[in-house]
Amino acid sequence: MSDLVPADTTEDVRTRGSGVSRQVAVLPVGSFEQHGPYLPLATDTLVACAVAREIAGAYPVHLLPPVTISCSHEHAAWPGTVSISSVTLHAVVRDIAASLRRSGVDALVVVNGHGGNYVLGNVVQESSARGERMALFPAAEDWEAARERADVVTSLLTDMHAGEIETSILLHAHPEMLRPGYETSDFVADDRRHLLTLGMSGYTDSGVIGRPSLGSAEKGKELLASLADSFGAYFSMLASDE
């Protein structure tokens, strides 16, 4: 459970905050949705938490527990998937940010592990327009840099769901969570222009779009290391007094 729930006491947070000009909190947001027959429903949450833990190991941030259910409506055709509305997710993140500000933590980075959480971009844009300090991480450019550093073969377009990247991160961070089958489940569907209308079931029977057979623990380790490096620019921006 320590991988998902931070073990900080209130004094830990106070001490860490005394060493920075502005405190920055990190909120992992995952999902609870199908990831094929070999990855758990909580994959996106596990990925978001792995990224957030890597960040917390490199920067003096206030690590929060994850939001574990989000906007997974495109996966509704598969058993086990659970969603909340975009309005609810928007409100949850806004409420968390407001609560943090009241306790003296006035900057928040949302670490998103699920591509379907489009509304998080709106939350950050609206908050920034109000003069609040918030960012969404990782950006596509951060993932692309990580993909290149880790020698991930599959493009970000092709590696859409339960593919090389997610399989690699779980092989590194939570190998006990994988089940047999990723070695033989590759499936490509690059033209997904009707995804919002048809959902995932319009493009894949297995729930997989990507090449999980190419995943490895070493790639997962390098992906996380690269993302932690990319986070430095976000931390500098949000922690600055300017």
Side-chain angles (χ1 to χ4, degrees):
M1 288 297 291
S2 62
D3 286 342
L4 298 177
V5 182
D8 281 348
T9 68
T10 187
E11 290 305 314
D12 293 330
V13 178
R14 191 194 311 275
T15 300
R16 189 183 305 113
S18 67
V20 295
S21 55
R22 288 182 183 271
Q23 289 195 71
V24 177
V26 171
L27 175 67
V29 178
S31 73
F32 199 72
E33 65 187 36
Q34 72 84 20
H35 276 77
Y38 51 86
L39 291 179
L41 295 163
T43 291
D44 289 341
T45 298
L46 295 171
V47 169
C49 286
V51 174
R53 283 198 314 275
E54 197 81 10
I55 289 169
Y59 305 91
V61 297
H62 178 27
L63 181 59
L64 301 173
V67 175
T68 59
I69 296 176
S70 60
C71 303
S72 300
H73 311 284
E74 69 273 28
H75 299 278
W78 281 270
T81 297
V82 182
S83 291
I84 58 177
S85 72
S86 61
V87 174
T88 299
L89 182 58
H90 190 295
V92 166
V93 175
R94 278 198 64 183
D95 284 356
I96 290 171
S99 178
L100 286 165
R101 289 192 298 273
R102 288 193 294 271
S103 68
V105 181
D106 57 0
L108 174 64
V109 179
V110 179
V111 174
N112 182 33
H114 172 48
N117 289 335
Y118 312 113
V119 71
L120 294 178
N122 298 117
V123 177
V124 172
Q125 286 181 323
E126 294 165 14
S127 297
S128 298
R130 290 191 297 269
E132 300 161 6
R133 293 186 177 228
M134 191 181 293
L136 182 62
F137 181 83
E141 293 84 355
D142 302 313
W143 277 118
E144 184 60 30
R147 188 186 72 82
E148 292 179 2
R149 173 167 162 179
D151 292 326
V152 168
V153 176
T154 318
S155 71
L156 295 180
L157 172 65
T158 299
D159 197 59
M160 188 261 187
H161 192 71
E164 185 177 0
I165 288 177
E166 289 183 323
T167 300
S168 292
I169 291 176
L170 261 70
L171 281 170
H172 168 64
H174 291 283
E176 75 284 357
M177 301 293 282
L178 273 80
R179 299 190 186 186
Y182 71 90
E183 306 91 340
T184 57
S185 294
D186 292 4
F187 182 78
V188 174
D190 283 352
D191 186 345
R192 303 185 297 270
R193 70 188 72 189
H194 303 301
L195 177 66
L196 296 180
T197 302
L198 300 177
M200 284 285 288
S201 62
Y203 294 94
T204 171
D205 293 330
S206 67
V208 178
I209 297 180
R211 296 191 177 98
S213 69
L214 301 177
S216 72
E218 182 59 32
K219 289 179 182 178
K221 180 179 179 180
E222 288 300 313
L223 284 163
L224 294 177
S226 177
L227 291 174
D229 289 345
S230 294
F231 185 80
Y234 294 76
F235 181 80
S236 297
M237 176 178 61
L238 293 175
S240 170
D241 279 332
E242 299 180 2

